[in-house]
Amino acid sequence: MKKVRAFIENLSRRERVILFALIPLVGISIIYFTLIVPFFATRRDLGERIATQEMLLTKYRNLLSKEKDIKDHLRLLEKNYTSISQRLYSASTEELANAKIQSDVKGIAQRNGLSVSRSMFQKKELLSSVPHLVSMFVNIEIEDINSASRLQKFLYDVESNASRFFFFDDLQISTRGFDTPSGLSLSATLVTFANIEGKP
C-alpha cells in the first residue's frame, strides 16, 4: 500500500487526474465484460433455446392433433402393401421364382388351348434391397397358333391376371400368310416382380 501511495505522490497533477479517471473506466470495463456481456449472451442463447423448444412443441402438438389421420393413412398403406405383396412371386431363390413364373405362363396358355414352345429367363433388375424385390424378364414363344381369338384371350388373361402382375414388353406377332387362320406366332418378353426371401 505504501508503494502505491508513493507511486501516486510521484505523479504530476495531470497524471493523477488521468489515473483517477481511468480507474473507474477500468472498473466499469471489468464489470461490463465479466458480468454484463456474459449475462446478455446467456440470455440470448437461452431465448434461442426456448424458441427452438417452442417450435418443437408446436410441431409435436400438430403431429398429435393429426394422430388419427396418420394412423388411418398407415392402415391404408399396410392394406395396399398386403394387396400388392400377394401379387408378387415369393421364393427363396430367383431360380425358383423363375420356375414358378414359367409354370404359370404355360398354365394360362394351356387354358386358352395354346402351348408355349419356348420360355427362357432373360434378366432381372434389382428394385429394392429390403425387402429384396426384383423385376424379372422371361422370353416366351408360342408357335403355330391356329386361332387369333385364342391368342387375343391369352394376351388378355396374362395382363389382366388378378393374382399376379404381368406386363408384356417387346411383343411381336407374326403370320405365315393372310389366307390361313393358322401360322400365327408370338414372341414376347414377359415382365413380372418377385420377392426373393432368401436374400439378406
Side-chain angles (χ1 to χ4, degrees):
M1 193 70 179
K2 289 179 181 180
K3 288 181 181 179
V4 173
R5 190 177 296 167
F7 172 74
I8 292 171
E9 286 175 359
N10 288 335
L11 295 174
S12 67
R13 185 181 176 124
R14 184 170 174 240
E15 288 172 337
R16 282 186 207 161
V17 169
I18 292 170
L19 178 65
F20 286 123
L22 283 175
I23 289 173
L25 284 174
V26 170
I28 291 169
S29 297
I30 291 170
I31 292 170
Y32 178 76
F33 286 108
T34 57
L35 296 176
I36 296 174
V37 169
F39 171 76
F40 282 107
T42 304
R43 188 175 173 186
R44 186 184 67 241
D45 291 345
L46 188 61
E48 288 173 0
R49 275 190 291 206
I50 289 170
T52 303
Q53 294 298 325
E54 284 176 349
M55 284 172 57
L56 283 171
L57 284 172
T58 303
K59 182 179 176 182
Y60 292 143
R61 268 197 296 269
N62 288 339
L63 283 173
L64 286 172
S65 69
K66 295 176 184 175
E67 181 183 11
K68 185 183 180 302
D69 293 338
I70 292 169
K71 283 183 177 177
D72 290 343
H73 187 64
L74 282 172
R75 273 193 289 273
L76 180 64
L77 287 174
E78 285 174 1
K79 183 180 175 184
N80 288 340
Y81 175 76
T82 302
S83 172
I84 289 169
S85 64
Q86 287 172 350
R87 294 184 69 189
L88 301 176
Y89 280 93
S90 184
S92 57
T93 66
E94 290 159 2
E95 291 76 16
L96 288 173
N98 176 46
K100 287 181 184 180
I101 293 164
Q102 293 189 44
S103 175
D104 284 354
V105 173
K106 286 177 182 176
I108 295 170
Q110 286 174 352
R111 284 197 301 273
N112 286 284
L114 302 175
S115 177
V116 175
S117 52
R118 185 170 164 234
S119 68
M120 185 176 66
F121 179 67
Q122 182 188 22
K123 65 175 181 173
K124 62 163 189 207
E125 289 179 2
L126 181 66
L127 300 175
S128 165
S129 296
V130 181
H132 191 86
L133 297 176
V134 292
S135 57
M136 302 188 74
F137 298 77
V138 178
N139 288 335
I140 62 164
E141 289 180 10
I142 302 176
E143 296 177 349
D144 297 324
I145 302 167
N146 59 9
S147 168
S149 62
R150 284 183 181 178
L151 175 59
Q152 184 180 8
K153 180 86 167 50
F154 167 74
L155 295 173
Y156 175 79
D157 286 353
V158 169
E159 287 208 325
S160 64
N161 193 306
S163 61
R164 300 289 182 204
F165 289 111
F166 284 127
F167 307 96
F168 280 115
D169 185 33
D170 192 24
L171 178 66
Q172 297 175 11
I173 298 171
S174 58
T175 182
R176 284 194 215 128
F178 296 107
D179 300 339
T180 59
S182 62
L184 286 170
S185 295
L186 166 76
S187 174
T189 301
L190 190 69
V191 184
T192 189
F193 307 98
N195 179 12
I196 309 304
E197 297 169 341
K199 294 283 183 177

